[in-house]
Amino acid sequence: MKILVIGSGGREHALVWKLRQSPRVRELYCAPGNAGIGELAELVALAPDDLPGLLRFATQEQIDLTVVGPEVSLSLGIVDQFTAQGLRIFGPVQQAAQLEVSKAFAKQLMQEQGVPTAAFATFTDPSAARNYVAQVGAPIVVKADGLAAGKGVLICHTVQEAQLAIDEIMRSRVFGTAGDRVVIEEFLEGEEASFLAFTDGTTVLPLASAQDHKRVCDNDQGPNTGGMGAYSPAPVVTPALAGRIVNEIMLPTLQGLKRRGITYKGILYAGLMISGTNVKVVEFNARFGDPECQPLMVRLKSDLVDVMEAVIDERLVEVTLTWDHRPAVCVILAAEGYPGNYETGKPITGLESLQDWQDGVIFHSGTGTDSLVVTKQGRAIGVNKLLVTKGGRVLGVTALGDDIRNAIAMAYQAIAKISWPGMHYRRDIGHRAVGRLSHTSE
């Protein structure tokens, strides 16, 4: 098979890494990819939002399966366009992707289907939104309705903070057109978890549980990011709770879409807030999470090509997933200043010492190469390729361990060998899982 993966982050590197293991894969491409992905697949200089270019490439190269990584491609209707041309592609159609593209759409659907979620109100007028916040008080959550790269959710502890957030989103347009509308929600207490499942519109096949770390600094301080680390499994999602999530959240959501004439095929990702036996949906995503994808792909033993084809052909009921029993932990190494302004082009050192690392995989997110001219006595004698930073989130160090503590230790031991000027990472990834283990062992 010839497979094309769309995207350039750590999620896409993990997908390429996993797809490369399938004996069915003959040629593997990634558009546009990154320096790490380039070691496993042929890179194609096409952006995820260049639908005409991607469609042309897939047609000319007779691609057998396209796998969509980022939400932007889904939001533009890439699945609809590829399918119309007879091309096989993994991901939800444009209407189904509205679950992620519009938080207001998702909240309305959940309300109709009785899916547990935070109380909410939506606004297109900033003055009305400010008045609402003044009435209901704080803490409260202000969200840009559209896509904002995981950064459009602002948790506000005072009314003044909430009103400032509304002004930034709707008047200053910090997230562009994503802020045409805001969703204002009650603040939920509890522990967050990520629940991802393959679905063909009828059958729900859950992946292993996972937990993301959204805030940029230790102890969940600082602004939200695209994700600073993740681990799998997440002890907060017990087997009993997983069954409830499927029956009370995932299936009713799919049924609500079907009532609207929409069949959802792909990955359905529910971001959840869990408090005791209560579980509520914070948001839906229409694709693999990043960084949750990294520990999940490292643990997945099943052939990913087989699973994706079963989703496309609506025969997912025939599939079971097998997993490595060992936990996996991914720690994101980020550029100084992320998720705000940051510099790129910083040379990355230390990865060469981890080429034979046996305890995990280093997935590239924002990396590229730069040329260094080698001189001798003032004369150029060659050119060396340097690995440099090219994004906010740069690397995802993902380790397996006999238990969660061991996996965490393996990841941080590897991180100690990597550096670039200004490298930043959280030092407490997995702390909730360790806390739960400590509590149960007492």
Side-chain angles (χ1 to χ4, degrees):
M1 292 180 70
K2 298 172 75 171
I3 294 184
L4 169 65
V5 176
I6 296 172
S8 62
R11 164 184 52 215
E12 288 76 31
H13 192 175
L15 292 171
V16 165
W17 176 82
K18 184 62 187 172
L19 290 164
R20 172 57 71 190
Q21 297 170 17
S22 172
R24 301 179 60 194
V25 176
R26 179 168 53 89
E27 295 178 42
L28 193 52
Y29 301 88
C30 187
N34 59 42
I37 294 173
E39 298 177 5
L40 299 172
E42 182 177 332
L43 301 186
V44 183
L46 292 169
D49 61 356
D50 182 5
L51 268 55
L54 291 165
L55 183 59
R56 186 164 52 249
F57 175 83
T59 302
Q60 290 174 351
E61 293 297 325
Q62 297 181 308
I63 297 297
D64 298 299
L65 173 65
T66 298
V67 178
V68 185
E71 58 272 25
V72 63
S73 307
L74 299 170
S75 72
L76 295 172
I78 190 170
V79 174
D80 310 67
Q81 292 192 25
F82 271 52
T83 302
Q85 295 300 315
L87 294 165
R88 292 171 68 77
I89 183 167
F90 178 84
V93 295
Q94 190 175 28
Q95 280 188 307
Q98 285 295 303
L99 272 182
E100 176 169 6
V101 173
S102 170
K103 295 178 180 67
F105 174 89
K107 296 291 283 191
Q108 185 63 41
L109 184 76
M110 285 188 274
Q111 190 175 62
E112 290 174 6
Q113 292 300 113
V115 172
T117 189
F120 72 100
T122 62
F123 298 91
T124 55
D125 174 49
S127 297
R130 286 172 60 92
N131 291 338
Y132 176 78
V133 166
Q135 291 172 9
V136 299
I140 202 162
V141 182
V142 180
K143 297 181 177 182
D145 178 55
L147 297 177
K151 302 166 195 169
V153 176
L154 302 174
I155 298 171
C156 306
H157 299 284
T158 66
V159 169
Q160 290 75 18
E161 280 182 32
Q163 292 181 335
L164 178 61
I166 292 164
D167 288 344
E168 287 180 345
I169 293 171
M170 303 192 80
R171 289 181 167 142
S172 300
R173 315 294 286 179
V174 293
F175 303 116
T177 58
D180 287 348
R181 178 165 50 182
V182 293
V183 177
I184 300 178
E185 297 183 2
E186 69 170 318
F187 176 76
L188 296 177
E189 297 274 5
E191 185 172 341
E192 287 194 59
S194 303
F195 194 88
L196 285 75
F198 291 104
T199 180
D200 58 7
T202 302
T203 299
V204 172
L205 182 62
L207 283 80
S209 60
Q211 191 169 77
D212 185 15
H213 297 65
K214 283 288 186 189
R215 299 299 189 97
V216 71
C217 297
D218 289 3
N219 302 313
D220 297 320
Q221 300 297 307
N224 270 347
T225 70
M228 291 299 294
Y231 60 90
S232 173
V236 68
V237 182
T238 63
L241 188 59
R244 283 184 51 209
I245 292 165
V246 169
N247 291 321
E248 298 174 17
I249 293 171
M250 309 300 266
L251 286 171
T253 298
L254 294 174
Q255 289 158 4
L257 288 169
K258 277 200 170 178
R259 287 197 181 95
R260 298 179 180 216
I262 304 167
T263 298
Y264 189 111
K265 297 199 288 188
I267 286 285
L268 180 58
Y269 164 164
L272 306 172
M273 186 66 77
I274 300 168
S275 179
T277 59
N278 293 322
V279 56
K280 291 186 176 182
V281 177
V282 176
E283 63 181 6
F284 281 115
N285 292 322
R287 35 71 192 181
F288 285 100
D290 186 345
E292 295 97 329
C293 187
Q294 288 88 306
L296 288 171
M297 289 302 103
V298 167
R299 293 190 62 214
L300 181 64
K301 287 187 169 183
S302 304
D303 189 317
L304 187 57
V305 176
D306 292 344
V307 183
M308 289 180 167
E309 290 216 303
V311 167
I312 294 169
D313 295 334
E314 299 184 23
R315 49 178 180 81
L316 193 59
V317 69
E318 302 170 6
V319 177
T320 56
L321 299 178
T322 56
W323 297 93
D324 191 318
H325 71 278
R326 294 174 296 172
V329 173
C330 173
V331 181
I332 296 295
L333 309 185
E336 184 177 19
Y338 175 80
N341 296 325
Y342 53 85
E343 294 182 4
T344 59
K346 305 289 187 183
I348 302 167
T349 60
L351 287 183
E352 61 280 354
S353 67
L354 292 164
Q355 284 181 340
D356 299 319
W357 188 37
Q358 298 297 308
D359 298 307
V361 186
I362 296 170
F363 294 115
H364 292 226
S365 296
T367 62
T369 55
D370 204 352
S371 297
L372 176 68
V373 178
V374 181
T375 61
K376 185 176 183 180
Q377 296 178 338
R379 293 177 57 218
I381 60 172
V383 177
N384 285 344
K385 288 289 186 182
L386 278 180
L387 184 70
V388 298
T389 64
K390 199 181 175 182
R393 293 187 294 173
V394 179
L395 297 170
V397 179
T398 306
L400 285 160
D402 293 330
D403 57 32
I404 192 69
R405 289 189 183 90
N406 183 236
I408 292 169
M410 293 299 101
Y412 283 107
Q413 284 175 25
I415 289 168
K417 300 179 181 180
I418 305 168
S419 67
W420 68 81
M423 184 176 87
H424 167 74
Y425 59 94
R426 283 184 57 162
R427 290 166 170 79
D428 64 346
I429 301 300
H431 68 93
R432 291 189 188 88
V434 171
R436 284 184 172 272
L437 287 177
S438 301
H439 181 72
T440 55
S441 63
E442 290 174 357

